[in-house]
Amino acid sequence: MNDMRNILHGVAIGDALGFPVQFKPRSQRRKSPVVGMGKYKDEDGQIRSFSEELTGLWSDDTSLTLCLAESLIRSFDLKDQAERFVAWLDKGYLSARDHAFDVGQQTTESLARVRFILESGHYAELEHLASDADEYSNGNGSLMRILPLVLYIKGMPTQQQFDLVRKASALTHPHIRSSICCFYYLRMAEHIIDGLGKFKAYSQACRETKTLMRQINCPEKEFEILHRLLDVDIGSLSEDEIDSGGYVVSTLEASIWCLLTTDSYPEAVLRAVNLGDDSDTTGAITGGLAALLYGYEAIPKEWIGKLKKPELFDDIVNRWQNR
């Protein structure tokens, strides 16, 4: 099984399904749901198509996932990750449109700081970006790109895993809350790769994240904010209790909910994008886990065939296999 292929295509398909309708409210998706790659059902029940330009178009979620995956082919190198992220922002490196687009404000601001560090030559500063300074900078921009890291940290001791996750997340989202959500997501992904079912992988990730938070003396406020992820059965919640906005905690909850309440890759990602709001990112994060769970073969071939720039995915997957 090629887990890197699962990850990259799983993320990209979810991203591309949701991108044409991102930031539209859930009420609109209930009336006019996405039903396939580049396709939606109108209010009269007729199947319609998005434009050719939007069909199969993936966004910053996938670009930064590709950047991290390519960097990890060598090893875990923060300077290399940072250089690729800045190249994406400045030059459209590994972008579906040859320029960066759909860029979040937090990511833009953080990468400006990273660019300054790279230009100054003080590379050691990249190791110390993690900070609790601004809890209002907890968008989902590191969670959306972090999944390839599971293949590098898999099998490492928990504390070592978290240290690397924290550094990788902090390039754009330095608050500990974003790092914990990334860690939780990757623990669930690792258990799925190891063959645990989705419910067992979820319960294990809950326990392990709570244990880690105690070990690192996480502020009590973080336990309160992550209460539903740590202590509530997310799968038992109703759709109306799920927020699909751009806040990292909400996105992680929504993605896990979509995985737990469906039984196939297409069902999971379509449920994710039809939650509305930050539909491409919810689709991408759900899609990565769902592809690890169900496999590349579970992704409709028609959807894969419509992805923009398929050669970028094949190149990284092949180099990952041959590293």
Side-chain angles (χ1 to χ4, degrees):
M1 179 182 292
N2 190 321
D3 289 317
M4 184 61 84
R5 183 180 297 279
N6 293 338
I7 287 170
L8 297 185
H9 283 87
V11 168
I13 292 291
D15 181 4
L17 283 168
F19 185 72
V21 297
Q22 68 168 337
F23 307 133
K24 301 295 174 58
R26 188 174 304 175
S27 58
Q28 185 172 331
R29 295 281 63 76
R30 286 174 173 168
K31 295 176 182 177
S32 182
V34 175
V35 295
M37 186 62 72
K39 297 184 182 299
Y40 65 98
K41 188 180 291 186
D42 68 18
E43 294 186 31
D44 296 322
Q46 299 296 311
I47 304 299
R48 304 292 185 185
S49 297
F50 295 111
S51 68
E52 182 63 29
E53 180 188 5
L54 289 177
T55 298
L57 180 66
W58 35 272
S59 72
D60 58 326
D61 306 54
T62 300
S63 289
L64 292 175
T65 301
L66 291 171
C67 286
L68 177 57
E70 186 170 57
S71 181
L72 291 171
I73 291 172
R74 299 180 177 185
S75 185
F76 185 92
D77 184 335
L78 274 183
K79 176 176 174 289
D80 188 72
Q81 292 174 36
E83 289 173 341
R84 293 176 194 277
F85 293 168
V86 171
W88 160 75
L89 184 63
D90 292 349
K91 303 174 183 178
Y93 178 66
L94 294 179
S95 172
R97 278 181 169 165
D98 296 324
H99 65 272
F101 62 98
D102 192 39
V103 186
Q105 181 179 347
Q106 172 66 24
T107 297
T108 301
E109 293 174 357
S110 292
L111 290 183
R113 180 183 180 188
V114 166
R115 185 191 300 108
F116 177 80
I117 292 171
L118 292 173
E119 291 174 348
S120 71
H122 299 149
Y123 306 134
E125 292 181 22
L126 296 171
E127 300 276 344
H128 306 290
L129 289 173
S131 167
D132 290 335
D134 185 5
E135 70 169 300
Y136 297 102
S137 298
N138 274 306
N140 52 27
S142 62
L143 183 64
M144 73 186 190
R145 62 172 165 82
I146 203 71
L147 191 53
L149 186 55
V150 71
L151 302 184
Y152 183 84
I153 65 174
K154 188 176 182 299
M156 291 180 180
T158 299
Q159 185 65 60
Q160 186 179 358
Q161 286 191 344
F162 181 70
D163 288 344
L164 294 178
V165 170
R166 186 98 199 261
K167 290 175 181 179
S169 175
L171 288 175
T172 57
H173 291 72
H175 193 272
I176 193 168
R177 192 175 308 155
S178 289
S179 302
I180 290 170
C181 286
C182 288
F183 173 82
Y184 188 116
Y185 181 58
L186 296 186
R187 290 308 300 151
M188 191 166 174
E190 181 171 345
H191 290 312
I192 288 172
I193 291 171
D194 286 340
L196 271 66
K198 60 185 179 182
F199 297 107
K200 191 169 288 187
Y202 163 61
S203 62
Q204 287 276 82
C206 290
R207 287 195 296 271
E208 291 163 353
T209 302
K210 192 183 298 187
T211 298
L212 173 86
M213 291 172 69
R214 292 193 185 107
Q215 289 173 344
I216 63 174
N217 297 315
C218 205
E220 189 61 33
K221 181 177 182 178
E222 298 305 318
F223 285 92
E224 296 169 2
I225 288 170
L226 297 170
H227 167 66
R228 294 210 309 185
L229 283 165
L230 298 173
D231 301 309
V232 175
D233 178 6
I234 295 290
S236 69
L237 301 178
S238 69
E239 184 179 286
D240 289 339
E241 295 175 280
I242 299 298
D243 180 359
S244 51
Y247 175 42
V248 64
V249 178
S250 299
T251 304
L252 182 56
E253 289 182 354
S255 300
I256 292 173
W257 181 83
C258 290
L259 191 74
L260 296 180
T261 59
T262 56
D263 295 305
S264 69
Y265 179 90
E267 190 182 358
V269 291
L270 289 174
R271 177 158 293 183
V273 302
N274 285 318
L275 288 175
D277 299 312
D278 200 359
S279 51
D280 58 333
T281 301
T282 309
I285 293 168
T286 304
L289 284 183
L292 287 174
L293 179 64
Y294 298 111
Y296 176 80
E297 297 74 17
I299 305 174
K301 289 185 174 61
E302 177 190 3
W303 295 3
I304 295 173
K306 290 182 178 179
L307 277 183
K308 306 297 188 192
K309 295 192 177 181
E311 68 280 1
L312 295 182
F313 300 87
D314 293 338
D315 176 58
I316 292 174
V317 168
N318 290 336
R319 285 191 287 133
W320 178 264
Q321 284 182 295
N322 297 324
R323 70 193 187 286

